[in-house]
């Protein structure tokens, strides 16, 4: 029998989706599941985006330019200008989701065996994309006790070798919800310049910041143009996860010319989705402010509820719509499966993502879960009630 590749065998299973078979079984058994496991917003997509697709005048669904519609890239440049990020359409490559932007980035700046330093815990697919690119993720550990703040620069410097090509951050963070301060971005910029590294920032949650905080992008930092690469997406900002439209942004011409070769190999990003995404940029400012206000209220509801459960520890997220909670259990993978397979409260249960999948090494984050607060506040309160009772019953087994 032909043998599967080493790379294929090394590809990790999604910690977010691996429990789906158990959820499907629970649903067939008549259980209602409060889904806290995945970052699928329940906010309506801007009507401007939906109408653009409904009312298009196309006769042929043709390829676009490999870099994406020029009109879309021009509008994106205008969007970034509002956030004090000075880029032109030539600095922007439209991709099939932020995922493809990361894959293009890794393909453009690394060779097999190279290393990228990433604060841990991190978005699970960073590990998947690095496996595809046959490179190594080197974790620098952040801790729940500090709210998952940036580790010291000394910790980064200990990990830099001749194989290190980049530092990758998610700002605000998935899965932690941590928002890097301007000072922390400046520290990262200094180390990128000092060691001649790329600094990659996944900024897909840029709009979602709370408590009068401000997002500071790596492309707002002067002197970093040759080092900085941004990954972005419409998925969360406009509740358009299914559009699969993202972008890669850099003022480094060599990086963008190289990424274009990857873009040409996949021909073009999807046409109808680009039409929708370009139109989404016409959404009024109230769309952002109302959405962010909803998520802040949900965050406050979730964090307050979790803090009332004995033995639960939680960092307060300053951005995105996730948090990591440490539970009074030993194995969150087993607990998450048990919630779906063996437990219910009046035919209701919850689905969470075990946090171990957001760590690179074994036995890390074993008693932690990632919770996505993408449900309305009433449902969040019910989910917290279910979690409290479930923990009591689980630990009394």
């Amino acid at each position: 029998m032909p043998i599967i590749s080493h790379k294929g065998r090394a590809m990790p299973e999604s910690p977010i989706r691996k429990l789906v078979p158990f959820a499907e079984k629970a649903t067939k058994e008549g259980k209602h599941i409060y889904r806290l496991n995945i970052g699928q917003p329940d906010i309506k997509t801007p009507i401007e985006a939906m109408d653009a697709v409904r009312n298009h005048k196309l006769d042929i669904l043709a390829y676009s330019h490999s870099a994406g519609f020029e009109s879309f890239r021009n509008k994106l440049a205008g969007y970034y200008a509002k956030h004090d990020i000075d880029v032109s359409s030539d600095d922007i490559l439209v991709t099939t989701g932020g995922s493809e932007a990361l894959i293009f980035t890794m393909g453009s700046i690394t060779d097999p065996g190279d290393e990228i330093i990433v604060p841990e815990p991190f978005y699970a697919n960073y590990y998947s994309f690095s496996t595809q690119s046959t490179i190594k993720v080197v974790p620098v550990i952040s801790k729940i006790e500090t709210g998952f703040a940036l580790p010291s620069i000394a910790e980064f410097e200990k990990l830099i070798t001749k194989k290190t090509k980049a530092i990758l951050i998610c700002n605000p963070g998935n899965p932690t919800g941590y928002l890097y301060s301007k000072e922390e971005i400046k520290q990262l910029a200094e180390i990128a310049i000092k060691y001649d590294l790329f600094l990659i920032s996944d900024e897909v949650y840029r709009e979602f910041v709370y408590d009068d905080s401000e997002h500071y992008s790596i492309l707002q930092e002067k002197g970093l143009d040759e080092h900085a690469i941004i990954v972005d997406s419409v998925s969360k900002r406009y509740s358009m996860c299914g559009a699969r439209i993202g972008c890669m942004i850099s003022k480094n011409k060599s990086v963008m010319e190289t990424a274009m070769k990857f873009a040409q190999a996949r021909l073009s990003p999807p046409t109808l989705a680009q039409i929708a995404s370009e139109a989404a940029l016409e959404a009024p400012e109230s769309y952002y402010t109302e959405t962010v206000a909803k998520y802040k209220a949900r965050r406050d509801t979730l964090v307050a509820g979790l803090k009332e459960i004995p033995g639960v520890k939680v960092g307060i997220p300053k951005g995105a719509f996730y948090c990591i909670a440490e539970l009074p259990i030993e194995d969150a993978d087993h607990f998450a499966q048990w919630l779906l397979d063996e437990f219910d409260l009046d035919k209701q249960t919850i689905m969470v993502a075990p946090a171990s999948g957001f760590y690179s090494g074994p036995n890390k984050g074993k008693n932690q879960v990632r919770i996505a607060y993408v449900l309305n506040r009433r449902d969040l309160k019910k989910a917290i009630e279910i979690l409290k009772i479930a923990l009591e019953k689980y630990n009394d087994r």
Side-chain angles (χ1 to χ4, degrees):
M1 176 179 173
I3 299 174
I4 298 297
S5 69
H6 290 290
K7 182 165 62 177
R9 293 197 296 273
M11 279 291 286
E13 188 176 22
S14 169
I16 305 167
R17 299 174 186 269
K18 68 181 181 180
L19 293 170
V20 167
F22 298 98
E24 291 173 340
K25 177 176 176 287
T27 300
K28 289 178 181 178
E29 292 172 350
K31 297 179 186 178
H32 175 76
I33 303 171
Y34 292 93
R35 296 177 183 269
L36 305 171
N37 64 306
I38 193 166
Q40 171 58 62
D42 65 344
I43 307 296
K44 287 187 176 180
T45 302
I47 190 65
E48 292 82 359
M50 304 303 280
D51 283 347
V53 175
R54 292 188 190 101
N55 302 323
H56 74 81
K57 305 297 183 183
L58 297 177
D59 294 318
I60 300 173
L61 205 56
Y63 292 125
S64 75
H65 190 288
S66 291
F69 297 155
E70 185 175 10
S71 58
F72 182 27
R73 288 183 284 122
N74 283 330
K75 284 187 178 179
L76 281 170
Y79 162 81
Y80 291 116
K82 294 178 183 177
H83 293 269
D84 197 28
I85 299 171
D86 179 23
V87 292
S88 71
S89 60
D90 291 337
D91 302 321
I92 301 170
L93 177 65
V94 178
T95 57
T96 309
S99 299
E100 189 176 69
L102 277 162
I103 292 169
F104 285 0
T105 296
M106 290 182 180
S108 298
I109 68 171
T110 66
D111 290 309
D114 282 343
E115 298 174 352
I116 292 180
I117 299 173
V118 187
E120 184 180 76
F122 52 78
Y123 176 48
N125 279 336
Y126 293 166
Y127 193 62
S128 300
F129 302 148
S130 67
T131 301
Q132 290 180 47
S133 300
T134 60
I135 62 174
K136 182 180 179 182
V137 165
V138 178
V140 56
I141 308 302
S142 62
K143 298 178 180 180
I144 195 169
E145 289 78 12
T146 62
F148 299 104
L150 185 75
S152 71
I153 293 303
E155 293 301 310
F156 281 88
E157 290 186 307
K158 289 177 186 177
L159 300 172
I160 294 173
T161 71
K162 292 181 179 179
K163 293 183 178 181
T164 307
K165 294 299 293 287
I167 295 169
L168 167 60
I169 62 171
C170 186
N171 188 32
N174 176 8
T176 65
Y178 186 77
L179 176 69
Y180 291 97
S181 67
K182 183 176 181 178
E183 291 71 26
E184 287 172 322
I185 296 298
K186 286 183 174 294
Q187 289 175 358
L188 289 169
E190 288 176 6
I191 197 172
I193 292 169
K194 178 180 179 180
Y195 292 95
D196 201 22
L197 305 175
F198 289 103
L199 179 58
I200 309 163
S201 184
D202 180 345
E203 299 185 357
V204 305
Y205 300 97
R206 179 187 299 105
E207 304 290 345
F208 305 110
V209 296
Y210 316 120
D211 306 326
D212 298 320
S213 302
E214 291 187 6
H215 180 268
Y216 188 73
S217 171
I218 60 172
L219 275 178
Q220 290 175 262
E221 183 63 22
K222 304 303 180 186
L224 203 60
D225 286 358
E226 296 304 309
H227 301 262
I229 303 170
I230 287 178
V231 169
D232 208 346
S233 170
V234 304
S235 291
K236 315 300 181 176
R237 185 170 303 132
Y238 301 112
S239 195
M240 293 175 63
C241 296
R244 309 311 307 134
I245 291 292
C247 61
M248 174 183 174
I249 310 156
S250 181
K251 302 190 80 155
N252 183 313
K253 299 303 181 187
S254 295
V255 167
M256 297 308 288
E257 288 169 2
T258 305
M260 176 59 83
K261 291 187 280 188
F262 286 89
Q264 290 170 341
R266 64 84 164 99
L267 305 182
S268 72
T271 297
L272 279 178
Q274 286 186 83
I275 290 172
S277 301
E278 183 174 337
L281 289 165
E282 301 296 331
E285 190 67 25
S286 59
Y287 181 84
Y288 302 114
T289 56
E290 291 171 7
T291 299
V292 171
K294 286 181 182 179
Y295 281 121
K296 181 186 181 300
R298 293 173 179 187
R299 180 208 64 174
D300 293 345
T301 297
L302 176 66
V303 171
L306 289 174
K307 285 186 173 181
E308 291 180 359
I309 302 176
V312 171
K313 184 186 298 183
V314 59
I316 301 177
K318 292 288 188 180
F321 39 66
Y322 307 100
C323 74
I324 292 283
E326 193 167 283
L327 306 181
I329 56 175
E330 293 184 359
D331 189 341
D333 286 85
H334 183 269
F335 177 64
Q337 182 178 324
W338 176 85
L339 282 168
L340 297 168
D341 206 29
E342 300 182 42
F343 172 82
D344 71 86
L345 179 65
D346 300 325
K347 300 298 287 186
Q348 297 180 96
T349 190
I350 60 174
M351 189 174 182
V352 295
S356 59
F358 300 95
Y359 289 84
S360 60
N363 301 318
K364 293 182 180 179
K366 290 291 290 181
N367 63 341
Q368 298 176 354
V369 295
R370 187 195 73 169
I371 296 175
Y373 44 96
V374 292
L375 305 180
N376 62 59
R377 292 177 69 198
R378 182 189 65 253
D379 287 351
L380 277 175
K381 288 177 181 178
K382 185 63 180 179
I384 294 165
E385 176 190 345
I386 292 171
L387 175 61
K388 181 178 184 295
I389 294 171
L391 284 168
E392 292 171 357
K393 292 193 174 182
Y394 184 79
N395 287 323
D396 285 343
R397 291 173 306 139

